[in-house]
Amino acid sequence: MEAFYDKPLNEEHLINRINSGEKELYEILVRRNNQKLYRVIRSYIKETTEIEDIMQNTYLKAYEKLSQFKNTSKFSTWLIRIGINEALARLREKAKVNHVNQYEDQHHANSILEISGDSQLNPETKIIGDEAKRLLEHILDSLSPDYKVIYVMKEIEGLSIQNISEILDLSKSNVKVRLHRAKITMRAKLKLITKQQELFEFGNSRCDAITALVMKVCLSKNQGDQST
C-alpha cells in the first residue's frame, strides 16, 4: 500500500484520472496534502476536532469542485485557499456565539507541527523533541493569525513566496513584510522566554527519577567492585 502512495504520479495526470472516473485516486491527493493543510488550518484554529472537521469539509468541497480546478497553479495552493476560507468562516461563526475569543483553550489544543499519532522515537529523543516543539508552539501561538499562517507556510511547509501570495491574495512584498515581522517578533519572544528560569526546567519528578536511576547504577557498581 505504501509503495502505491509513494509513486511519483504527475499531479495533472492524477487529477485528470480522478475526473475521468477513478475516484479512489483522490485518496492520494488527500494523503499528500494532509500535513500541509493541517498546519495551515492549525494557524487559525487550535481545537483538534474542529481542525479535523474543517479539513474534512475542505477535502469534500475540493472533491466536489475538482472538475473546475485549473492546472495553472498547484492543487495544494487551491486546496489551502479553500481550507483558509473554511477556517475563517468557522471563526466568524464562533465570534457570533462567543463575542469574545477566536481561540480555544490551550489544554485542548493539538500540535501545530504534526498530526497527532504514535511517535516512533525513543523516549530520550521524544522528550527533547517535545520540549523544542512546545517552545516553538508557544511562540507561534502568540503571533496573530495573519503572521502565523505565513510563517507556517514559508518556514515550516516550505511554500514559496509566490505560492503564499496566491493563496492569501496578497502581494509578494506584503508577504515578505509579514514574514519579516513574524520572525522579528518570534526572536524577541524567544529572547524573553529564555530569560525565564522555568525554561526547560529539570526538577520535581524528572529530577527524582534520573537521580534514583543514577544512584541505583552507581551503588550497584560499587557493590560489584567490593565483591571482587
Side-chain angles (χ1 to χ4, degrees):
M1 182 67 73
E2 288 296 329
F4 174 69
Y5 293 118
D6 290 340
K7 289 181 180 179
L9 296 177
N10 176 272
E11 187 173 271
E12 182 177 356
H13 177 62
L14 178 60
I15 292 173
N16 287 337
R17 288 176 62 180
I18 295 171
N19 285 330
S20 296
E22 296 181 72
K23 306 299 184 182
E24 68 279 1
L25 294 182
Y26 189 64
E27 183 178 347
I28 299 177
L29 290 178
V30 173
R31 290 181 179 272
R32 283 182 181 178
N33 290 281
N34 263 340
Q35 185 70 89
K36 189 177 298 182
L37 181 62
Y38 171 85
R39 285 174 172 165
V40 170
I41 294 174
R42 174 59 178 74
S43 298
Y44 295 93
I45 305 284
K46 289 185 181 180
E47 212 282 318
T48 307
T49 55
E50 272 201 277
I51 296 172
E52 293 176 352
D53 185 48
I54 292 170
M55 288 178 69
Q56 179 176 306
N57 290 342
T58 299
Y59 281 124
L60 290 175
K61 285 192 174 182
Y63 179 78
E64 292 169 356
K65 299 179 179 180
L66 193 60
S67 61
Q68 302 174 25
F69 173 68
K70 308 299 181 184
N71 287 296
T72 53
S73 63
K74 291 183 178 180
F75 174 79
S76 60
T77 300
W78 184 65
L79 180 73
I80 290 172
R81 190 182 297 122
I82 295 174
I84 289 176
N85 288 336
E86 287 289 302
L88 292 176
R90 184 65 60 91
L91 288 176
R92 286 192 292 270
E93 290 175 8
K94 288 161 66 72
K96 290 178 181 178
V97 175
N98 299 325
H99 301 290
V100 184
N101 205 331
Q102 295 179 343
Y103 303 106
E104 294 298 328
D105 187 87
Q106 180 65 30
H107 297 295
H108 300 289
N110 200 11
S111 170
I112 195 172
L113 299 180
E114 63 182 355
I115 296 177
S116 58
D118 294 331
S119 173
Q120 301 301 313
L121 300 176
N122 63 59
E124 294 83 0
T125 303
K126 188 174 186 301
I127 289 173
I128 295 171
D130 287 346
E131 292 284 5
K133 284 192 293 184
R134 276 195 292 270
L135 176 58
L136 177 58
E137 296 224 356
H138 175 74
I139 297 173
L140 274 174
D141 280 334
S142 69
L143 299 178
S144 70
D146 288 345
Y147 290 165
K148 180 162 55 175
V149 70
I150 289 178
Y151 184 91
V152 167
M153 285 194 282
K154 182 66 175 67
E155 300 300 321
I156 298 178
E157 279 303 316
L159 273 66
S160 69
I161 295 295
Q162 178 63 40
N163 282 157
I164 299 172
S165 174
E166 293 174 6
I167 291 169
L168 299 177
D169 194 24
L170 295 172
S171 67
K172 289 191 288 185
S173 60
N174 200 333
V175 171
K176 291 177 182 178
V177 167
R178 293 190 186 188
L179 178 62
H180 179 65
R181 289 177 179 171
K183 289 180 178 180
I184 289 177
T185 303
M186 290 183 69
R187 280 198 295 268
K189 291 181 180 293
L190 177 60
K191 185 176 181 180
L192 179 63
I193 290 173
T194 52
K195 289 182 179 179
Q196 299 175 359
Q197 293 182 354
E198 65 269 20
L199 177 65
F200 296 141
E201 183 178 23
F202 196 80
N204 301 325
S205 60
R206 294 174 64 196
C207 180
D208 293 340
I210 195 168
T211 300
L213 177 60
V214 170
M215 292 309 299
K216 180 179 180 181
V217 174
C218 289
L219 292 174
S220 175
K221 178 176 173 55
N222 186 50
Q223 291 175 356
D225 291 342
Q226 290 179 352
S227 63
T228 56

